[in-house]
Every structure is written in C-alpha cells, then in structure tokens.
Amino acid sequence: MFKTKKLFKMAILSSIATLMLAGCGKEESGSKDVLGQIKDEKKIVFGVKHDTRLFGLKNPETGKVEGFDIDLSRELAKEMFGNDVKVEYKEVTSKTRVPLLNNGKVDAVVATMTINEERKKEVDFTDVYFDAGQSLLVKKGSKVQGLEDLKKGTKVLAVKGSTSAINIREKAPETSVLEYENYAEAFTALKAGKGDALTTDDAILYGMVEEDPSFELVGGTFTEEPYGIAVKKGNKELVDALNKALKALKDSGKYDEIKNKWIKQQ
Ligand code: GLU
C-alpha cells in the first residue's frame, strides 16, 4: 500500500514537472515547430558571424553587423513574412552555431556554413546559397605556395568547428594545425607570425586580403564548400519557406544584387 502511494505521488510529481517544462518559453519547448514560433512571436533570430569580413562582420564604429549573410537573411525574412516579423541577429562562431540552433537561441544559421553529410545528421539545410572552396592564405613572398609545401615543421592556423580544420589534416597530414575560436583571432595570429598559413574558404580569405593586402591566397582551392542555411532538425516547413524565398530572390535579381555588393572575387 505504502509503495503504491509513493509511486502515485512520484507519477504526479513527474507530470507536474513535464507540464512546467512544456509551459516554459521558446528555449525549452521542443514540441512546436520553429516556423510556428517565429509567426507567433513575430520575431526571427538569425545566427550570423561577427568575425568574418564580407559575410558577417561587426563594424566597431556603428556596432552593426554587415555582410552578405546579413543582407541575404534580412531579404529572406522580408520575402517570407513581409514586415510582420522583426529580424534579430545573434553572434555564432563555427564552433557554437549547431549548439545555439539546437538549444533554440537562434532560429536559422546563415554563417558561411558548409552543407555536408556529417552536419546533416545534426541539423537540416536549405538549398545551396553560395559556393566556396578551401584555400590557403600566406604573407606575400612566403615559401608556402600550396598544399605540397605544408611539410613537417610547418604550422597552419584554422578555426575550431570548421570543415577547414578537419580537411587540412587530411590534405596535409604532416603539418601542425593550430585552432582558434574565430577568424579574427586566427588572422591576428597569422599576422603575428604564429603560423605559416591560415586555411579556410577562399571567399573568407579574400575578406582578409581586403583588410591587409600584404597577404595573398595561394595554391587554388582544394575542397568544395557549398553554403547552406541551417535550421533545427525536423523543421521541414521552415526549410521549405526559406528555399522558396531564396528562389524568389534569385528570380527577382535581388540575390545577385546582394552578392555583387559583397563578393568581388570568385
Ligand atoms: N565553410 C566552412 C565551414 O562551414 C568554413 C567556414 C566557417 O568556419 O564557417 O566550416
């Protein structure tokens, strides 16, 4: 009898806990789809880079984040919701973008993110919105002119959570790879002579050259990095809506306008 009572009490307590969790805000609720939440709250939060010139860079003078990913996400939101939904941006890095999506802090990641099979296990992607490829950035006049020069004793700088950090170990197995939190830190380290080269997508490296033309890209590209917008797994409606909006921006010429504004070299 005593046991039954105790069990009964436990069952009641656990249902109360479940109900309390279900009643909690956006971050804890896993049940409602993200598109429905965006419409209810009249707000969409995009996860964007703050450290990546041309794609998502925080301008220290204005405090605003600027770049291709920012302009594209703003136009996508306008296309999907008109002016009904407020657009907000939150910083993600290569390492934090998947956790921030999965814990609901951001609704969609538009942040130089390559679509690949590994990541598809964790998140859902839209169609490709930009094609990049991995390359190397070196100081002009460097002895390193391509992958073949990354021999034993050389050091390459990369960013945690990027495909670049994984790929370079496979393409240049003898080099040491030093990983940084973000691209601003990695480029500062390259300028300080902490490595022989920095590796990531060519489009991101062009942004670094724009900042400091004493650096250059060498050796061409050695991977394919198709960028997609990532959303929390299981949100087909949101992926479909983003794809539809992306297509509309391509058809209207808006996509090209944004791309031409930021991407001069490809
Ligand atoms: N596109 C690559 C990736 O998704 C490199 C750029 C980045 O770190 O965001 O990992």
Side-chain angles (χ1 to χ4, degrees):
M1 179 63 190
F2 172 72
K3 223 173 163 184
T4 331
K5 230 175 167 180
K6 200 171 166 193
L7 276 177
F8 184 64
K9 213 166 155 190
M10 274 167 65
I12 291 205
L13 280 176
S14 94
S15 3
I16 292 176
T18 316
L19 278 174
M20 278 169 69
L21 266 182
C24 278
K26 175 177 181 166
E27 274 138 40
E28 283 83 8
S29 70
S31 50
K32 187 148 198 205
D33 73 289
V34 178
L35 183 60
Q37 264 175 34
I38 294 167
K39 286 179 181 162
D40 285 356
E41 293 173 15
K42 301 196 180 309
K43 184 178 92 176
I44 182 164
V45 183
F46 287 110
V48 295
K49 293 285 186 76
H50 279 199
D51 64 330
T52 308
R53 187 177 295 272
L54 305 182
F55 286 87
L57 183 74
K58 189 161 186 174
N59 181 332
E61 268 143 48
T62 60
K64 288 218 167 93
V65 204
E66 299 165 348
F68 178 59
D69 284 341
I70 314 301
D71 286 353
L72 182 68
S73 48
R74 188 184 303 108
E75 288 305 322
L76 286 171
K78 209 193 265 174
E79 188 63 42
M80 288 190 291
F81 312 111
N83 291 324
D84 286 351
V85 166
K86 209 171 117 219
V87 175
E88 276 185 22
Y89 295 105
K90 244 192 200 131
E91 178 177 12
V92 299
T93 64
S94 304
K95 191 178 83 176
T96 65
R97 58 194 160 192
V98 172
L100 287 174
L101 252 190
N102 286 334
N103 70 16
K105 300 271 184 213
V106 299
D107 298 317
V109 162
V110 191
T112 66
M113 188 167 182
T114 298
I115 304 170
N116 66 24
E117 292 309 313
E118 215 36 50
R119 288 175 176 168
K120 275 193 208 163
K121 289 179 197 157
E122 296 187 286
V123 295
D124 288 339
F125 283 104
T126 60
D127 297 336
V128 177
Y129 73 87
F130 185 79
D131 280 301
Q134 188 171 342
S135 190
L136 298 170
L137 184 76
V138 298
K139 186 92 187 161
K140 276 185 180 161
S142 165
K143 288 196 299 274
V144 173
Q145 288 297 307
L147 278 179
E148 62 288 356
D149 299 320
L150 295 176
K151 304 205 175 84
K152 212 173 169 66
T154 59
K155 282 189 214 134
V156 177
L157 314 179
V159 165
K160 290 179 190 169
S162 66
T163 51
S164 338
I166 298 169
N167 297 335
I168 195 67
R169 289 188 167 90
E170 191 194 307
K171 304 276 177 188
E174 288 181 9
T175 196
S176 315
V177 181
L178 306 182
E179 294 188 23
Y180 291 83
E181 292 301 319
N182 60 52
Y183 285 104
E185 279 183 26
F187 192 32
T188 302
L190 183 71
K191 289 183 201 159
K194 297 208 172 127
D196 301 288
L198 189 161
T199 190
T200 185
D201 303 334
D202 54 351
I204 298 177
L205 297 176
Y206 285 128
M208 294 178 185
V209 173
E210 202 173 290
E211 183 187 322
D212 186 339
S214 69
F215 289 86
E216 65 180 349
L217 276 76
V218 291
T221 55
F222 49 88
T223 67
E224 280 174 14
E225 308 290 331
Y227 293 177
I229 299 167
V231 306
K232 194 171 180 172
K233 222 170 175 28
N235 283 281
K236 192 176 176 320
E237 291 85 357
L238 181 55
V239 171
D240 289 348
L242 285 163
N243 279 337
K244 200 170 150 220
L246 187 61
K247 189 174 179 305
L249 294 184
K250 285 193 172 167
D251 291 346
S252 71
K254 193 80 203 166
Y255 171 91
D256 283 337
E257 198 183 295
I258 300 169
K259 191 170 163 191
N260 295 337
K261 174 175 164 196
W262 295 102
I263 312 296
K264 310 279 179 224
Q265 262 159 314
Q266 228 197 337

